Coordinates of all heavy atoms in Angstrom, one line a residue:
M16 N -9.8 -76.8 23.5 CA -9.1 -75.5 23.1 C -10.2 -74.6 22.5 O -10.9 -75.0 21.6 CB -8.0 -75.8 22.1 CG -7.3 -74.5 21.7 SD -6.1 -74.9 20.4 CE -5.7 -73.2 19.9
E17 N -10.2 -73.4 23.1 CA -11.1 -72.4 22.5 C -10.6 -71.9 21.1 O -9.4 -71.9 20.9 CB -11.2 -71.2 23.4 CG -11.9 -71.5 24.8 CD -13.3 -71.9 24.7 OE1 -13.9 -71.8 23.6 OE2 -13.8 -72.4 25.7
D19 N -9.0 -69.6 18.3 CA -8.2 -68.4 18.4 C -8.7 -67.4 17.3 O -9.6 -67.7 16.6 CB -6.7 -68.8 18.3 CG -6.4 -69.5 17.0 OD1 -7.2 -69.5 16.1 OD2 -5.2 -70.0 16.9
N47 N -8.2 -74.4 27.4 CA -7.0 -73.8 26.9 C -7.5 -72.8 25.8 O -8.5 -73.0 25.2 CB -6.2 -74.9 26.2 CG -5.0 -74.4 25.4 OD1 -5.0 -74.5 24.2 ND2 -4.1 -73.8 26.1
G48 N -6.7 -71.8 25.6 CA -6.9 -70.8 24.5 C -7.3 -69.4 25.0 O -8.5 -69.2 25.3
G49 N -6.4 -68.5 25.1 CA -6.7 -67.1 25.4 C -6.9 -66.8 26.8 O -7.4 -65.8 27.2
Y50 N -6.4 -67.7 27.7 CA -6.6 -67.5 29.2 C -5.5 -66.7 29.7 O -4.3 -66.8 29.3 CB -6.7 -68.8 29.9 CG -8.1 -69.5 29.7 CD1 -8.2 -70.5 28.8 CD2 -9.2 -69.1 30.4 CE1 -9.4 -71.1 28.5 CE2 -10.4 -69.7 30.2 CZ -10.5 -70.7 29.2 OH -11.7 -71.3 29.0
S68 N -4.7 -74.8 30.9 CA -3.3 -74.8 30.4 C -3.1 -73.5 29.6 O -4.0 -72.9 29.1 CB -3.1 -76.1 29.5 OG -4.0 -76.1 28.4
F69 N -1.8 -73.2 29.5 CA -1.4 -72.0 28.9 C -0.3 -72.2 27.8 O 0.6 -73.0 28.1 CB -0.8 -71.0 29.9 CG -1.7 -70.7 31.0 CD1 -1.8 -71.4 32.2 CD2 -2.6 -69.6 30.9 CE1 -2.7 -71.1 33.2 CE2 -3.5 -69.3 31.9 CZ -3.6 -70.0 33.0
G70 N -0.4 -71.6 26.7 CA 0.5 -71.8 25.6 C 1.4 -70.6 25.5 O 2.6 -70.6 25.9
K71 N 0.9 -69.5 24.9 CA 1.8 -68.4 24.6 C 2.4 -67.7 25.8 O 3.5 -67.3 25.9 CB 1.0 -67.3 23.8 CG 0.6 -67.8 22.4 CD -0.2 -66.8 21.6 CE -1.6 -66.6 22.0 NZ -2.5 -67.8 21.8
L72 N 1.6 -67.7 26.9 CA 2.1 -67.1 28.1 C 3.2 -67.9 28.7 O 4.2 -67.4 29.3 CB 1.0 -67.0 29.2 CG -0.1 -66.0 29.0 CD1 -1.0 -65.8 30.2 CD2 0.4 -64.6 28.6
F73 N 3.1 -69.3 28.5 CA 4.2 -70.1 29.1 C 5.5 -70.0 28.2 O 6.6 -70.1 28.7 CB 3.8 -71.6 29.1 CG 3.9 -72.2 30.5 CD1 2.9 -72.7 31.2 CD2 5.2 -72.1 31.2 CE1 3.0 -73.3 32.4 CE2 5.3 -72.6 32.4 CZ 4.2 -73.2 33.1
I74 N 5.3 -69.9 26.9 CA 6.5 -69.7 26.0 C 7.3 -68.5 26.5 O 8.5 -68.5 26.6 CB 6.1 -69.6 24.6 CG1 5.5 -70.9 24.1 CG2 7.2 -69.1 23.7 CD1 4.9 -70.8 22.7
T96 N 9.1 -64.9 16.7 CA 9.9 -66.0 16.9 C 9.1 -67.3 17.1 O 9.7 -68.4 17.3 CB 10.9 -65.8 18.1 OG1 10.1 -65.6 19.3 CG2 11.7 -64.6 17.9
F97 N 7.8 -67.2 17.1 CA 7.0 -68.5 17.2 C 7.2 -69.4 16.0 O 7.6 -68.9 14.9 CB 5.5 -68.1 17.3 CG 5.1 -67.6 18.6 CD1 6.0 -67.5 19.7 CD2 3.8 -67.3 18.9 CE1 5.5 -67.0 20.9 CE2 3.3 -66.9 20.1 CZ 4.2 -66.7 21.1
Y98 N 7.1 -70.7 16.2 CA 7.2 -71.7 15.2 C 8.5 -71.6 14.5 O 8.6 -71.8 13.3 CB 6.0 -71.5 14.2 CG 4.7 -71.6 14.8 CD1 3.9 -70.4 14.9 CD2 4.1 -72.7 15.3 CE1 2.7 -70.4 15.6 CE2 2.9 -72.8 15.9 CZ 2.2 -71.6 16.0 OH 1.0 -71.6 16.7
G99 N 9.6 -71.4 15.2 CA 10.9 -71.4 14.6 C 11.2 -70.4 13.6 O 12.0 -70.6 12.7
Y109 N 12.5 -69.0 22.4 CA 12.0 -70.1 23.2 C 12.8 -70.3 24.5 O 12.3 -70.8 25.4 CB 12.0 -71.5 22.4 CG 10.9 -71.6 21.4 CD1 11.1 -71.3 20.0 CD2 9.7 -72.0 21.8 CE1 10.1 -71.3 19.1 CE2 8.6 -72.0 20.9 CZ 8.9 -71.7 19.5 OH 7.8 -71.8 18.6
Ligands
LIG1 C1 4.4 -71.4 19.0 C2 3.3 -72.3 19.3 C3 3.5 -73.7 19.2 C4 2.4 -74.6 19.5 N1 2.6 -75.9 19.3 C5 1.6 -76.8 19.6 C6 1.8 -78.2 19.5 O1 2.9 -78.6 19.1 N2 0.8 -79.0 19.8 C7 -0.4 -78.5 20.2 O2 -1.3 -79.3 20.5 N3 -0.6 -77.2 20.4 C8 0.4 -76.3 20.1 N4 0.2 -75.0 20.2 C9 -1.2 -74.5 20.7 C10 -1.1 -74.2 22.2 O3 -1.0 -75.4 22.9 C11 -2.4 -73.6 22.7 O4 -3.5 -74.4 22.4 C12 -2.7 -72.2 22.0 O5 -1.5 -71.5 22.0 C13 -3.8 -71.5 22.7 O6 -3.5 -71.3 24.1 P1 -2.9 -69.9 24.6 O7 -3.9 -68.8 24.3 O8 -2.7 -70.1 26.1 O9 -1.6 -69.6 23.9 C14 1.2 -74.1 19.9 C15 1.0 -72.7 20.1 C16 2.1 -71.8 19.8 C17 1.8 -70.3 20.0

Side-chain angles (χ1 to χ4, degrees):
M16 182 184 169
E17 297 295 347
D19 59 13
N47 172 249
Y50 286 98
S68 62
F69 300 91
K71 293 181 285 296
L72 292 187
F73 234 126
I74 291 173
T96 61
F97 281 1
Y98 305 105
Y109 283 98

